[in-house]
Amino acid sequence: LFRFEPYAPPTTPTEIAMNMPPLTNSYAGIIGHSIEPLVKPMGLDWQVGVGILASFLAREVFVSTMAVVYGLENNNEDDVGLKAAFKNHISPLSGFCLLIFFTLSMQCVSTMATTKRETGSLLWPLLQFIMMTGSGFLLAVLAHQVGSFFGLA
């Protein structure tokens, strides 16, 4: 699903004029736009939403997914382009909220699979996902609202 995202050509005049990565009309872009109302209260946009979705497969793919989303070709840890893209797209308050979300939310699908295997039930992995991800979301939204109230946004 996420593998096809770099191959959608830029189609809107804004994408072409701003030399934006061709992601908007890809599968990942469509899914990202559809979940944007969920990540917007945390101060994040659809592009970060795509990274969050990919990170549920494994947390370590968030950074590489964001490099693809921002259209960067060299995405190693020391890449100045990725740091600049984060700095330009994510405010410090939104970054803090993203950290809160990632700290508290469900780590990855393999953790849920292990819980299901150990308990023999889907109930516990679902409760685990809902409670952990829900608490991460709620606290991230709260942090963003409080930070916005004090003018940190």
Coordinates of all heavy atoms in Angstrom, one line a residue, residues 97-153:
C97 N 3.5 17.0 20.9 CA 2.3 16.2 20.9 C 2.5 14.9 20.2 O 2.0 13.8 20.6 CB 1.2 17.0 20.2 SG 0.7 18.5 21.2
L98 N 3.3 14.9 19.1 CA 3.6 13.6 18.4 C 4.4 12.7 19.3 O 4.1 11.5 19.4 CB 4.4 13.9 17.1 CG 4.7 12.7 16.2 CD1 3.4 12.1 15.7 CD2 5.6 13.2 15.1
L99 N 5.3 13.2 20.1 CA 6.1 12.4 21.0 C 5.2 11.8 22.1 O 5.3 10.7 22.5 CB 7.2 13.2 21.7 CG 8.4 13.6 20.8 CD1 9.3 14.5 21.5 CD2 9.1 12.3 20.3
I100 N 4.2 12.6 22.6 CA 3.3 12.1 23.6 C 2.5 11.0 23.0 O 2.3 9.9 23.7 CB 2.4 13.3 24.1 CG1 3.1 14.3 25.0 CG2 1.2 12.7 24.9 CD1 2.3 15.5 25.3
F101 N 2.0 11.2 21.8 CA 1.2 10.1 21.2 C 2.0 8.9 21.0 O 1.5 7.8 21.4 CB 0.7 10.6 19.8 CG -0.1 9.6 19.1 CD1 -1.4 9.3 19.4 CD2 0.5 8.9 18.0 CE1 -2.1 8.3 18.8 CE2 -0.2 7.9 17.4 CZ -1.6 7.6 17.7
F102 N 3.2 9.0 20.5 CA 4.0 7.8 20.3 C 4.4 7.1 21.6 O 4.6 5.9 21.6 CB 5.3 8.1 19.4 CG 5.0 8.0 18.0 CD1 5.6 9.0 17.1 CD2 4.3 7.0 17.4 CE1 5.4 9.0 15.8 CE2 4.1 6.9 16.0 CZ 4.6 7.9 15.2
T103 N 4.7 7.9 22.6 CA 5.1 7.3 23.9 C 4.0 6.4 24.5 O 4.2 5.4 25.0 CB 5.5 8.4 24.9 OG1 6.5 9.2 24.3 CG2 5.9 7.8 26.2
L104 N 2.7 6.9 24.3 CA 1.6 6.2 25.0 C 0.8 5.2 24.1 O 0.2 4.3 24.6 CB 0.7 7.2 25.6 CG 1.3 8.1 26.7 CD1 0.3 9.2 27.1 CD2 1.7 7.3 27.9
S105 N 0.9 5.4 22.8 CA 0.0 4.6 21.9 C 0.6 3.2 21.8 O 1.7 2.9 22.1 CB -0.2 5.3 20.6 OG 1.1 5.3 19.9
M106 N -0.2 2.3 21.2 CA 0.1 0.9 21.0 C 1.4 0.9 20.1 O 1.5 1.6 19.1 CB -1.0 0.2 20.3 CG -0.9 -1.3 20.1 SD -1.0 -2.0 21.8 CE 0.0 -3.4 21.6
Q107 N 2.4 0.1 20.5 CA 3.6 0.1 19.8 C 3.6 -0.4 18.4 O 4.0 0.3 17.5 CB 4.7 -0.7 20.6 CG 5.0 -0.1 21.9 CD 5.6 1.3 21.7 OE1 6.5 1.5 21.0 NE2 5.0 2.3 22.4
C108 N 3.1 -1.6 18.2 CA 3.1 -2.1 16.8 C 2.1 -3.4 16.7 O 1.7 -3.9 17.8 CB 4.5 -2.5 16.3 SG 5.3 -3.7 17.2
V109 N 1.9 -3.8 15.5 CA 1.0 -4.9 15.3 C 1.5 -6.2 15.9 O 0.8 -7.0 16.4 CB 0.7 -5.0 13.8 CG1 -0.1 -6.3 13.5 CG2 0.0 -3.8 13.3
S110 N 2.9 -6.3 15.9 CA 3.4 -7.6 16.4 C 3.2 -7.7 17.9 O 3.0 -8.8 18.4 CB 4.9 -7.6 16.1 OG 5.6 -6.6 16.7
T111 N 3.1 -6.6 18.6 CA 2.8 -6.7 20.0 C 1.4 -7.2 20.2 O 1.1 -8.0 21.1 CB 2.9 -5.3 20.7 OG1 4.3 -4.8 20.4 CG2 2.7 -5.3 22.1
M112 N 0.5 -6.7 19.4 CA -0.9 -7.1 19.5 C -1.0 -8.6 19.1 O -1.8 -9.3 19.7 CB -1.8 -6.3 18.6 CG -1.9 -4.8 19.0 SD -2.8 -3.8 17.9 CE -4.4 -4.6 17.8
A113 N -0.3 -9.0 18.1 CA -0.3 -10.4 17.7 C 0.2 -11.3 18.8 O -0.4 -12.4 19.1 CB 0.5 -10.6 16.4
T114 N 1.2 -10.9 19.5 CA 1.8 -11.7 20.6 C 0.7 -11.7 21.7 O 0.6 -12.8 22.4 CB 3.1 -11.0 21.1 OG1 4.0 -11.0 20.1 CG2 3.7 -11.8 22.3
T115 N 0.1 -10.6 22.0 CA -0.9 -10.6 23.1 C -2.1 -11.6 22.7 O -2.6 -12.3 23.6 CB -1.5 -9.2 23.3 OG1 -0.4 -8.3 23.6 CG2 -2.5 -9.2 24.4
K116 N -2.5 -11.6 21.4 CA -3.5 -12.5 21.0 C -3.1 -13.9 21.2 O -3.9 -14.8 21.6 CB -4.0 -12.2 19.6 CG -5.1 -13.1 19.2 CD -5.2 -13.2 17.7 CE -6.3 -14.1 17.2 NZ -6.2 -15.5 17.7
R117 N -1.9 -14.2 20.8 CA -1.4 -15.6 20.9 C -1.3 -16.0 22.3 O -1.7 -17.2 22.7 CB 0.0 -15.7 20.2 CG 0.5 -17.2 20.1 CD 1.9 -17.2 19.6 NE 2.7 -16.5 20.6 CZ 3.9 -16.0 20.3 NH1 4.4 -16.1 19.1 NH2 4.6 -15.3 21.2
E118 N -0.8 -15.2 23.2 CA -0.7 -15.5 24.6 C -2.0 -15.7 25.3 O -2.2 -16.5 26.2 CB 0.2 -14.5 25.3 CG 1.6 -14.5 24.8 CD 2.4 -15.8 25.1 OE1 2.2 -16.4 26.2 OE2 3.2 -16.2 24.3
T119 N -3.0 -14.8 25.0 CA -4.3 -14.9 25.7 C -5.3 -15.7 25.0 O -6.3 -16.2 25.6 CB -4.9 -13.5 25.8 OG1 -5.1 -12.9 24.5 CG2 -3.9 -12.6 26.6
G120 N -5.1 -16.0 23.7 CA -6.0 -16.8 22.9 C -7.3 -16.1 22.6 O -8.3 -16.7 22.3
S121 N -7.3 -14.8 22.7 CA -8.5 -14.0 22.5 C -8.2 -12.7 21.8 O -7.1 -12.1 22.0 CB -9.2 -13.7 23.9 OG -10.2 -12.7 23.7
L122 N -9.1 -12.2 21.0 CA -8.9 -10.9 20.4 C -9.3 -9.7 21.3 O -9.0 -8.6 21.1 CB -9.8 -10.7 19.1 CG -9.2 -11.3 17.8 CD1 -10.2 -11.2 16.7 CD2 -8.0 -10.5 17.5
L123 N -10.0 -10.0 22.4 CA -10.4 -9.0 23.3 C -9.3 -8.2 23.9 O -9.3 -7.0 23.9 CB -11.3 -9.6 24.4 CG -11.7 -8.7 25.5 CD1 -12.7 -7.7 25.0 CD2 -12.3 -9.4 26.7
W124 N -8.3 -8.9 24.4 CA -7.1 -8.2 25.0 C -6.3 -7.3 24.1 O -6.0 -6.2 24.4 CB -6.3 -9.2 25.8 CG -7.0 -9.7 27.0 CD1 -7.5 -10.9 27.1 CD2 -7.4 -9.0 28.1 NE1 -8.2 -11.1 28.3 CE2 -8.2 -9.8 29.0 CE3 -7.2 -7.7 28.6 CZ2 -8.7 -9.5 30.2 CZ3 -7.8 -7.3 29.8 CH2 -8.5 -8.2 30.6
P125 N -6.0 -7.8 22.9 CA -5.3 -6.9 22.0 C -6.1 -5.7 21.6 O -5.6 -4.6 21.4 CB -5.0 -7.8 20.7 CG -5.2 -9.2 21.1 CD -6.0 -9.2 22.4
L126 N -7.4 -5.9 21.4 CA -8.3 -4.8 21.0 C -8.4 -3.8 22.2 O -8.3 -2.5 22.0 CB -9.7 -5.2 20.6 CG -9.7 -5.9 19.3 CD1 -11.1 -6.5 19.0 CD2 -9.3 -5.0 18.2
L127 N -8.5 -4.3 23.4 CA -8.6 -3.4 24.6 C -7.2 -2.6 24.7 O -7.2 -1.4 25.0 CB -8.9 -4.1 25.8 CG -10.3 -4.5 26.1 CD1 -10.4 -5.4 27.3 CD2 -11.2 -3.3 26.2
Q128 N -6.2 -3.4 24.5 CA -4.8 -2.8 24.6 C -4.7 -1.7 23.5 O -4.2 -0.6 23.9 CB -3.8 -3.9 24.3 CG -2.4 -3.7 24.6 CD -1.6 -4.9 24.3 OE1 -1.9 -5.7 23.4 NE2 -0.5 -5.1 25.1
F129 N -5.1 -1.9 22.3 CA -5.0 -0.9 21.3 C -5.9 0.3 21.6 O -5.4 1.5 21.5 CB -5.4 -1.5 19.9 CG -5.4 -0.5 18.8 CD1 -4.2 -0.1 18.2 CD2 -6.5 0.2 18.4 CE1 -4.2 0.8 17.2 CE2 -6.5 1.1 17.4 CZ -5.3 1.4 16.8
I130 N -7.1 0.1 22.0 CA -8.0 1.2 22.2 C -7.6 2.0 23.4 O -7.5 3.3 23.4 CB -9.5 0.6 22.5 CG1 -10.0 0.1 21.1 CG2 -10.4 1.7 23.0 CD1 -11.3 -0.7 21.3
M131 N -7.2 1.4 24.5 CA -6.8 2.1 25.7 C -5.5 2.8 25.5 O -5.3 4.0 25.9 CB -6.7 1.2 26.9 CG -8.1 0.6 27.3 SD -8.1 -0.5 28.7 CE -7.6 0.5 30.0
M132 N -4.5 2.2 25.0 CA -3.2 2.8 24.8 C -3.2 3.9 23.8 O -2.7 5.0 24.0 CB -2.1 1.8 24.5 CG -1.8 0.8 25.6 SD -0.6 -0.5 25.2 CE 0.9 0.5 25.2
T133 N -3.7 3.6 22.6 CA -3.8 4.6 21.6 C -4.7 5.7 21.9 O -4.4 6.9 21.6 CB -4.1 4.0 20.2 OG1 -3.2 2.9 20.0 CG2 -4.1 4.9 19.1
G134 N -5.8 5.4 22.5 CA -6.8 6.4 23.0 C -6.2 7.3 24.0 O -6.4 8.6 23.9
S135 N -5.5 6.8 25.0 CA -4.9 7.7 26.0 C -3.8 8.5 25.4 O -3.7 9.7 25.7 CB -4.3 6.9 27.1 OG -3.3 6.0 26.7
G136 N -3.0 8.0 24.4 CA -2.0 8.8 23.7 C -2.6 9.9 22.9 O -2.2 11.1 23.0
F137 N -3.7 9.6 22.2 CA -4.4 10.6 21.4 C -5.0 11.7 22.3 O -4.8 12.9 22.1 CB -5.5 9.9 20.6 CG -6.4 10.9 19.9 CD1 -5.9 11.5 18.7 CD2 -7.7 11.2 20.3 CE1 -6.7 12.4 18.0 CE2 -8.5 12.1 19.6 CZ -8.0 12.7 18.5
L138 N -5.7 11.3 23.4 CA -6.3 12.3 24.3 C -5.3 13.2 24.9 O -5.5 14.4 25.0 CB -7.2 11.6 25.3 CG -8.5 10.9 24.8 CD1 -9.2 10.2 25.9 CD2 -9.4 12.0 24.2
L139 N -4.2 12.6 25.4 CA -3.2 13.5 26.1 C -2.5 14.4 25.1 O -2.1 15.5 25.4 CB -2.2 12.6 26.9 CG -2.8 12.1 28.1 CD1 -1.9 11.1 28.8 CD2 -3.2 13.2 29.1
A140 N -2.3 13.9 23.8 CA -1.7 14.7 22.8 C -2.6 15.9 22.4 O -2.1 17.0 22.2 CB -1.3 13.9 21.6
V141 N -3.9 15.6 22.3 CA -4.8 16.7 22.0 C -4.9 17.7 23.1 O -4.9 18.9 22.9 CB -6.2 16.1 21.7 CG1 -7.3 17.2 21.7 CG2 -6.2 15.3 20.4
L142 N -4.9 17.2 24.4 CA -4.9 18.1 25.5 C -3.7 18.9 25.5 O -3.8 20.2 25.8 CB -5.0 17.2 26.8 CG -5.0 18.0 28.1 CD1 -6.3 18.9 28.2 CD2 -4.9 17.1 29.3
A143 N -2.5 18.3 25.3 CA -1.3 19.1 25.3 C -1.3 20.2 24.2 O -0.9 21.3 24.4 CB -0.1 18.2 25.1
H144 N -1.8 19.8 23.0 CA -1.9 20.8 21.9 C -2.9 21.9 22.3 O -2.6 23.1 22.0 CB -2.3 20.1 20.6 CG -2.2 21.0 19.5 ND1 -3.2 21.8 19.0 CD2 -1.1 21.3 18.7 CE1 -2.8 22.5 18.0 NE2 -1.5 22.3 17.8
Q145 N -4.0 21.6 22.9 CA -5.0 22.6 23.2 C -4.4 23.6 24.3 O -4.5 24.8 24.2 CB -6.3 22.0 23.7 CG -7.0 21.2 22.7 CD -7.3 22.0 21.4 OE1 -7.7 23.1 21.4 NE2 -7.0 21.3 20.3
V146 N -3.8 23.0 25.3 CA -3.2 23.8 26.4 C -2.0 24.7 25.8 O -1.9 25.9 26.1 CB -2.6 23.0 27.5 CG1 -1.8 23.8 28.5 CG2 -3.8 22.3 28.3
G147 N -1.2 24.1 25.0 CA -0.1 24.8 24.3 C -0.6 25.9 23.4 O -0.1 27.0 23.4
S148 N -1.7 25.7 22.7 CA -2.3 26.7 21.8 C -2.9 27.8 22.7 O -2.8 29.0 22.3 CB -3.4 26.1 21.0 OG -2.8 25.1 20.1
F149 N -3.5 27.5 23.8 CA -4.1 28.5 24.7 C -3.0 29.4 25.2 O -3.2 30.7 25.3 CB -4.8 27.8 25.9 CG -5.4 28.8 26.8 CD1 -6.6 29.4 26.6 CD2 -4.7 29.0 28.0 CE1 -7.1 30.3 27.5 CE2 -5.2 29.9 29.0 CZ -6.4 30.6 28.7
F150 N -1.8 28.9 25.4 CA -0.7 29.8 25.9 C 0.1 30.3 24.8 O 1.2 30.9 25.0 CB 0.1 29.0 26.9 CG -0.5 28.8 28.2 CD1 -0.9 27.5 28.6 CD2 -0.7 29.9 29.1 CE1 -1.6 27.3 29.8 CE2 -1.4 29.7 30.3 CZ -1.8 28.4 30.7
G151 N -0.3 30.2 23.5 CA 0.3 30.8 22.4 C 1.6 30.1 21.9 O 2.4 30.7 21.3
L152 N 1.7 28.8 22.2 CA 2.9 28.1 21.8 C 2.8 27.4 20.4 O 3.7 26.9 19.9 CB 3.2 27.0 22.8 CG 3.5 27.5 24.2 CD1 3.6 26.3 25.2 CD2 4.7 28.3 24.2
A153 N 1.6 27.5 19.8 CA 1.3 26.8 18.5 C 2.0 27.6 17.4 O 2.2 28.7 17.3 CB -0.1 26.7 18.3

